[in-house]
Amino acid sequence: MRRFFVIPLTLASSLLVASPSAEDRAIAKGNEVSSILLQKLGGELKNQMQTGGPMGALHFCSQNALTLTDQVAKDTKSTIKRISINNRNPVNRASKKEIDILNEWDSLVKNGQPLPAQTLVNQSDSTIMYYKPILINNEACLKCHGNIEGDLAKAIKASYPEDKATGYKMGDLRGMIAVEIKRD
């Protein structure tokens, strides 16, 4: 006598769906964390630009951007940083590996090719690095990162003596967000 087992359809379909890969989970986590950071930082900068203009935004960034980034990292239980070859703050300086990625992305931008939404790099057996490009895609960005003159240029130099983050144009690659993601 043969026996048949009836598996409810919902259970059967869930057995057929593969669980997300480590890469899929890293992309989801990286997207989540980088979006939170961009929303918080972008929202604050927008408020500062509206209330205090570029000087207000500069003051906010010099006093709060790193703290806000650290808070997002703590809230999302992740390691996150903003990185650039042409960094304003030396804390945001790119490593050799990150410079290679940024140069590759910059070449794509300059040749009119689309950037990847993100890049994953296996850092070790226990972590994956998620990198998301940051483009100059808003005129407001150019207020502090375009061709700056006068009092604002002096204030930037006073707050960031080693500043390299000016001279950008719309569509330029500004840098990237890096999120270190622990493997499950």
Side-chain angles (χ1 to χ4, degrees):
M1 176 167 150
R2 289 192 163 188
R3 291 186 181 205
F4 294 96
F5 294 97
V6 177
I7 300 173
L9 185 56
T10 55
L11 178 59
S13 63
S14 68
L15 293 173
L16 298 175
V17 177
S19 64
S21 68
E23 182 177 294
D24 292 336
R25 290 189 302 275
I27 290 170
K29 179 70 172 182
N31 284 335
E32 173 193 4
V33 171
S34 61
S35 292
I36 291 169
L37 177 62
L38 289 172
Q39 287 172 0
K40 287 190 183 276
L41 189 56
E44 285 294 332
L45 285 172
K46 182 178 179 181
N47 289 339
Q48 293 300 319
M49 287 293 274
Q50 290 172 344
T51 59
M55 286 290 210
L58 171 64
H59 179 72
F60 171 81
C61 270
S62 67
Q63 300 298 313
N64 302 297
L66 290 175
T67 304
L68 190 141
T69 302
D70 290 344
Q71 186 61 50
V72 170
K74 182 180 175 188
D75 292 348
T76 60
K77 297 176 178 63
S78 60
T79 302
I80 184 171
K81 55 186 176 172
R82 293 171 297 118
I83 300 167
S84 181
I85 293 171
N86 298 317
N87 52 289
R88 176 152 285 162
N89 188 330
V91 171
N92 302 117
R93 185 178 300 126
S95 70
K96 169 69 173 109
K97 184 185 292 187
E98 293 160 345
I99 288 170
D100 291 344
I101 294 169
L102 285 164
N103 283 333
E104 181 181 323
W105 287 352
D106 194 48
S107 178
L108 291 172
V109 169
K110 287 179 178 169
N111 290 315
Q113 297 174 335
L115 285 175
Q118 71 275 322
T119 296
L120 297 179
V121 176
N122 287 323
Q123 184 168 312
S124 69
D125 288 341
S126 61
T127 60
I128 297 172
M129 287 304 297
Y130 166 99
Y131 297 106
K132 179 182 190 77
I134 302 172
L135 292 170
I136 300 288
N137 60 5
N138 187 316
E139 289 291 332
C141 299
L142 296 175
K143 302 281 186 198
C144 295
H145 292 289
N147 293 318
I148 312 302
E149 298 176 346
D151 290 341
L152 182 59
K154 290 176 189 170
I156 289 171
K157 199 66 166 166
S159 294
Y160 301 101
E162 299 175 41
D163 178 51
K164 298 182 269 182
T166 58
Y168 286 97
K169 298 179 300 302
M170 190 62 81
D172 283 351
L173 178 66
R174 168 75 182 90
M176 66 176 146
I177 294 175
V179 181
E180 183 179 58
I181 298 161
K182 302 217 182 299
R183 295 178 190 267
D184 297 336

